[in-house]
Amino acid sequence: MNQTISLRVNGLPETHEVPANQTLLQFLRETLDLTGAKEGCNEGECGACLVLLDGRAVNACLTLAVEADGREVTTIEGLGHAGDLHPLQAAFLKHAAVQCGFCTPGMIIAALGLLRDNPDPSEEDVRWAMSGNLCRCTGYRQIIDAVQEAAAAMRGDPAPEAAP
Ligand code: FES
Ligand code: FES
């Protein structure tokens, strides 16, 4: 059975007929061709599929598309672009917090959800907020450093002085 949904995705209005059992992840990737959110475990364990739903990070693999009806979805494609990166994207690059990149969209969305609620998180806050995101490559240290640097940039704190 299909249902018509109307929502905003990365600021743009979208109206589509979707199967009642289609996940938000399938809708984003297959209908809208927004492939930034990744299908990893497909069971809520890895965080690769995270998107913001009305500003809160959710696992798109566990959310039905019909649940997004009337709401605002933000995916990694809705952040910065080449030449105009979001502070989180810039900090992930600077700290080499990206290797294969599979986990990165979910990591950045998790961090964005955290920073909207808590602009000045402690390392423990960051670790807790990112605890549902798995990375097989980086070892996490660079990711935590990147989130804390991006948080400072988003607060408008002066950049730390470079070591002599
Ligand atoms: S694909 Fe959704 S949590 Fe892993
Ligand atoms: S950078 Fe490869 S899984 Fe995180």
Side-chain angles (χ1 to χ4, degrees), residues 34-54:
L34 294 172
T35 56
K38 298 291 184 279
E39 183 177 323
C41 65
N42 218 20
E43 54 185 27
E45 297 292 339
C46 74
C49 64
L50 280 187
V51 299
L52 295 184
L53 184 60
D54 289 342

Side-chain angles (χ1 to χ4, degrees), residues 3 8 12 16 18 25 27 30-31 37 48 50 52 56 71 73 93-94 107-108 110 112 116 134 144 149-150:
Q3 190 171 323
R8 293 182 76 82
L12 297 177
H16 295 268
V18 299
L25 184 61
F27 172 70
E30 296 167 17
T31 302
L50 280 187
L52 295 184
R56 300 270 167 202
R71 302 173 75 181
V73 174
L93 282 178
K94 177 180 167 188
M107 290 282 181
I108 288 179
L112 188 59
R116 288 197 169 166
L134 304 183
I144 291 160
E149 181 166 309

Side-chain angles (χ1 to χ4, degrees), residues 99-101 103 135-138:
Q99 287 187 26
C100 79
C103 71
C135 177
R136 298 168 63 119
C137 307
T138 66

Side-chain angles (χ1 to χ4, degrees), residues 21-33 39 42 60-61 63-65:
N21 64 352
Q22 185 180 55
T23 67
L24 180 57
L25 184 61
Q26 291 168 327
F27 172 70
L28 292 169
R29 292 179 58 86
E30 296 167 17
T31 302
L32 300 187
D33 205 23
E39 183 177 323
N42 218 20
C61 72
T63 305
L64 291 174

